[in-house]
Amino acid sequence: MKQRTPLFVLAGLSCVLACLLSLTLGAAGMPLSTLVQALARPDSTPGRILFLVRLPRTAGCLLAGAALAVSGCVIQGVLANPLASPGIIGVNAGAGFAVTVCCALGALSGWTMALSAFLGALGAAAAIAFFGSRTGASRTTVILAGVAVNAFLGGLSESVTSLFPDVAMLSVDFRVGGFGSVAVSRLMPAGLLILAGLALVCSLHNELDVMSLGADTARGLGMNVKGMQALFLGLAALLAGASVSFAGLLGFVGLIVPHSCRKAVGSEARLLLPLSALTGAAFVTLADLLARLLFAPFELPVGVLLSVLGGPFFLWLLLTRKGGHGDD
Amino acid sequence: MIELRNATLGYPGKTVLRDVTLSFPAGQITVLLGPNGSGKSTLLKAILGLSQLQDGAILVQGKPLEAWDSAALARQVACLPQSRRVPDMTVERLVLHGRFPYLRYPRRYRPQDRAAARQAMEQVGILEYAGQELKTLSGGTRQKAYIAMALAQDTAAVLLDEPNAYLDLAHQLQLMALCRDLARQGKAVVVVLHDLNLALQYADRIALFANGTLLAQGTGPELCASGDLNQAFGVEVTPWETPQGTHYTFRLPRE
């Protein structure tokens, strides 16, 4: 048996450390003493920086990281496809298109954005699931279908952006993913949806494991496989969609984090899901910090950094697949 | 325990088996025999609702299949499907999932579930592998882990689709002895086999499938005497009485 507790402690401590660093470092340095002062006096300048900029940004990083990582675990489990993730099969692009339409229509409230993003993500997930089940598509075909869905929805979003060039939300920060403009009003509804989604997914860990045994075995164990698949894809879409609604099209978190965690604890969902949530939260927060500090005073959107890391990681996954399909 | 009445089975747009009337009684091993593609797996899948009942009826404990909800059915019938994944989990966890149909949301395995899983692993002889990852084990041990999962389900009927695939001879014999134990406990045991020799040696009853229908059913000696086995497999089967019981030899028919 692998020793798991230290891994969870390490992931938890990484989160705490990432939070502290994210709160204290940035354009205006804020040592711990100032941080304490800022907490006590929200009206002071450091207080404003903390409550209006740093806290929403850090909370956004933690929530988006956890949501995208867990969404990746769920999508990979349900589609039995290690190459799938919300970014790759077009779930993020679906949410992105919905947010773009909301912006163009001027429907900018946090709840409208979060729920529309969820519906957009759900649409893309349903399209991929329908395509996979109707054609009995192989894993590679599902990924190629994802490329098509991504291109299609990306094209639609670009069309809307071209027709409504003035909408502030449709910035580079949104298209590649970033936390430069996270506002509490947008974060709060999405955050509530993410926390509810995370709790529900983690409570269904046995269902996710049984589903990973294959549809025939799962049905033999009394599971309503189609219903459960739909529920899981809905939850994955909720998590990814809510995160896209404030963080934009962050790619590769749902791929890098679940795979790294799987190496550490295996695929049992009761361990994989919470570890991925913690690791995803720490990973995105640290990546955002790096993107802020690397070329200071200029700031990179964190999505750029994640793509630079994620692209080679995806290629590495393709190289190490060994052609295995996991079936006995 | 399970009964098919004039059942026609298949998949949307395709019929695989026609007009099958057959029962799987408690306390007996029924072996389903037949060439590849003769519909044996389709029949097992139909009992789980995974293939289509196009006509006739399937009764489980006297109640029509469609009247069972999937969890209640899974507490009556356990099935080891032909195609199985090798999940990234420990043997114990896999076997514990055999208790899945006994729990409701939020499913948390109880001490009695862990005890049932432990007993199933003991019965199959894999308790020593409980904490090991399935991926690190041989094909035979993985197979046993799946069989232990079906036993942990604690059902009145156990359906095994080609359980001997990937097993060496010793493991095949152990498995058939386990089937005999399960039948003695009063379970209806249904096994799809390709090995005619094992089938004739262990089956209480054999159902013989060919050309999309149930060709014949009966005990091994009956099917030998009637010539149905010869017809279905295109070989000559000869029974030999020995002090250890009846043994069989097979050869291609003479010109």
Side-chain angles (χ1 to χ4, degrees):
Chain A
M1 289 287 279
K2 289 176 191 160
Q3 200 49 258
R4 270 107 184 202
T5 316
L7 278 172
F8 280 91
V9 172
L10 185 68
L13 285 177
S14 303
C15 271
V16 174
L17 182 71
C19 278
L20 281 177
L21 289 175
S22 177
L23 291 174
T24 51
L25 299 177
M30 196 186 284
L32 277 179
S33 52
T34 320
L35 187 71
V36 176
Q37 276 178 12
L39 279 172
R41 294 180 49 211
D43 293 338
S44 62
T45 309
R48 287 213 186 95
I49 293 177
L50 180 68
F51 284 100
L52 296 178
V53 181
R54 297 271 169 89
L55 262 181
R57 182 168 195 151
T58 306
C61 288
L62 292 170
L63 287 166
L68 289 171
V70 169
S71 177
C73 291
V74 171
I75 287 175
Q76 284 149 26
V78 171
L79 297 181
N81 192 333
L83 296 175
S85 78
I88 285 172
I89 65 166
V91 172
N92 285 358
F97 173 61
V99 170
T100 309
V101 171
C102 279
C103 290
L105 296 175
L108 295 172
S109 92
W111 277 108
T112 314
M113 291 276 233
L115 290 173
S116 312
F118 162 54
L119 291 178
L122 191 63
I128 290 288
F130 177 75
F131 177 82
S133 70
R134 262 337 244 289
T135 60
S138 73
R139 295 169 187 194
T140 317
T141 320
V142 167
I143 299 304
L144 291 176
V147 171
V149 169
N150 262 321
F152 174 69
L153 291 167
L156 288 182
S157 299
E158 287 300 326
S159 310
V160 175
T161 316
S162 305
L163 293 171
F164 299 86
D166 301 335
V167 181
M169 185 56 200
L170 307 178
S171 58
V172 175
D173 216 25
F174 178 76
R175 275 185 264 168
V176 295
F179 298 92
S181 52
V182 170
V184 178
S185 61
R186 188 158 298 148
L187 189 62
M188 197 61 93
L192 289 175
L193 290 180
I194 287 175
L195 290 176
L198 286 175
L200 200 51
V201 169
C202 287
S203 77
L204 292 167
H205 65 82
N206 280 328
E207 279 80 353
L208 197 58
D209 277 346
V210 166
M211 196 168 275
S212 76
L213 303 178
D216 285 7
T217 308
R219 169 77 201 214
L221 289 170
M223 179 186 278
N224 172 357
V225 177
K226 285 205 170 127
M228 201 49 83
Q229 259 172 350
L231 175 65
F232 273 122
L233 284 178
L235 285 169
L238 177 76
L239 291 170
S243 127
V244 167
S245 76
F246 64 85
L249 300 173
L250 281 182
F252 294 108
V253 180
L255 197 68
I256 297 175
V257 175
H259 278 280
S260 311
C261 292
R262 217 171 265 128
K263 289 252 180 253
V265 293
S267 294
E268 279 183 33
R270 83 198 147 100
L271 302 171
L272 181 65
L273 293 172
L275 187 67
S276 293
L278 287 173
T279 311
F283 175 66
V284 171
T285 311
L286 288 173
D288 180 59
L289 188 67
L290 201 61
R292 267 194 276 164
L293 298 181
L294 214 50
F295 300 105
F298 299 106
E299 207 176 273
L300 278 180
V302 65
V304 172
L305 188 67
L306 290 173
S307 297
V308 169
L309 292 173
F313 184 85
F314 188 67
L315 291 176
W316 174 77
L317 267 186
L318 288 176
L319 279 175
T320 53
R321 270 203 318 152
K322 299 179 201 155
H325 291 273
D327 285 341
D328 201 343
Chain B
M1 160 67 213
I2 301 174
E3 203 182 338
L4 287 87
R5 287 186 190 159
N6 304 106
T8 294
L9 312 170
Y11 301 94
K14 185 183 167 196
T15 297
V16 178
L17 270 177
R18 280 179 201 285
D19 199 21
V20 176
T21 297
L22 180 65
S23 63
F24 303 129
Q28 290 197 8
I29 299 177
T30 309
V31 170
L32 309 188
L33 267 183
N36 287 333
S38 58
K40 309 178 296 287
S41 298
T42 305
L43 192 152
L44 292 198
K45 284 184 173 185
I47 297 170
L48 295 176
L50 288 167
S51 62
Q52 215 176 33
L53 174 65
Q54 296 172 341
D55 197 14
I58 297 177
L59 305 176
V60 176
Q61 303 282 34
K63 192 165 123 184
L65 189 65
E66 51 277 16
W68 289 91
D69 79 67
S70 53
L73 185 65
R75 293 193 289 269
Q76 293 296 329
V77 183
C79 183
L80 176 75
Q82 193 177 352
S83 143
R84 292 171 290 276
R85 292 197 183 139
V86 186
D88 201 357
M89 62 177 74
T90 62
V91 170
E92 185 175 25
R93 197 77 195 160
L94 178 79
V95 177
L96 202 50
H97 287 319
R99 304 299 296 170
F100 189 83
Y102 289 90
L103 302 173
R104 288 181 166 277
Y105 178 83
R107 291 185 167 86
R108 295 290 169 266
Y109 294 122
R110 307 155 298 179
Q112 61 262 44
D113 298 317
R114 291 178 196 283
R118 199 178 168 78
Q119 196 190 343
M121 287 189 283
E122 230 166 6
Q123 201 175 352
V124 182
I126 52 163
L127 194 54
E128 60 186 303
Y129 301 107
Q132 293 194 25
E133 297 286 331
L134 279 162
K135 288 204 162 155
T136 64
L137 299 174
S138 70
T141 313
R142 279 181 207 160
Q143 186 85 320
K144 286 183 171 178
Y146 262 101
I147 291 166
M149 180 174 82
L151 295 188
Q153 232 174 302
D154 191 21
T155 51
V158 180
L159 317 179
L160 305 168
D161 195 352
E162 296 192 29
N164 279 339
Y166 317 111
L167 294 187
D168 57 35
L169 187 59
H171 284 105
Q172 291 189 29
L173 294 176
Q174 284 174 18
L175 179 78
M176 294 315 292
L178 175 67
C179 288
R180 175 54 61 210
D181 275 350
L182 295 177
R184 270 197 211 107
Q185 290 166 23
K187 293 182 194 291
V189 181
V190 184
V191 194
V192 172
L193 286 180
H194 272 297
D195 188 325
L196 209 48
N197 211 355
L198 277 182
L200 287 165
Q201 216 174 327
Y202 285 94
D204 294 311
R205 296 169 54 75
I206 293 175
L208 195 55
F209 295 87
N211 304 323
T213 191
L214 175 65
L215 192 69
Q217 55 177 314
T219 63
E222 282 168 8
L223 293 180
C224 276
S226 66
D228 287 320
L229 276 179
N230 299 6
Q231 190 195 333
F233 284 92
V235 294
E236 279 181 12
V237 186
T238 314
W240 300 91
E241 294 305 328
T242 72
Q244 286 79 37
T246 312
H247 285 257
Y248 298 85
T249 56
F250 310 92
R251 67 176 184 186
L252 289 169
R254 276 168 283 193
E255 293 295 326

